[in-house]
Amino acid sequence: MAKGTINIYDYIGKGGIESKDILNIIDGFKSNEVSEIEVRINSPGGSIFEGFSIFNQLRDFNSITTVID
């Protein structure tokens, strides 16, 4: 069982981390059969719409651990 890490260390939305960036990471995880994800967050905030989009993308995985740095 492979494990992947997503680091969200920037503003969420335009000019920072966008949902399309996370989607690209997740697509890479899927092609490498990653089934566990650790999401590390240290963000000053951002767009609620981008945040919900990221949340919805992550719901496809059974095992997600979130760490607030």
Side-chain angles (χ1 to χ4, degrees), residues 7-22 41-55 57:
N7 295 310
I8 301 176
Y9 287 172
D10 201 347
Y11 178 82
I12 297 172
K14 190 170 184 171
I17 302 291
E18 297 183 34
S19 59
K20 66 181 180 181
D21 301 324
I22 301 300
I41 304 171
N42 184 0
S43 172
S47 167
I48 189 142
F49 300 108
E50 287 289 315
F52 273 125
S53 179
I54 292 168
F55 170 78
Q57 292 170 11

Side-chain angles (χ1 to χ4, degrees), residues 15-34:
I17 302 291
E18 297 183 34
S19 59
K20 66 181 180 181
D21 301 324
I22 301 300
L23 184 60
N24 288 333
I25 294 169
I26 289 173
D27 285 344
F29 286 167
K30 287 180 180 176
S31 63
N32 290 313
E33 299 183 7
V34 171

Side-chain angles (χ1 to χ4, degrees), residues 5-10 12 38-45 65-69:
T5 301
I6 298 175
N7 295 310
I8 301 176
Y9 287 172
D10 201 347
I12 297 172
E38 179 179 78
V39 181
R40 301 187 70 87
I41 304 171
N42 184 0
S43 172
T65 304
T66 305
V67 178
I68 308 300
D69 289 330

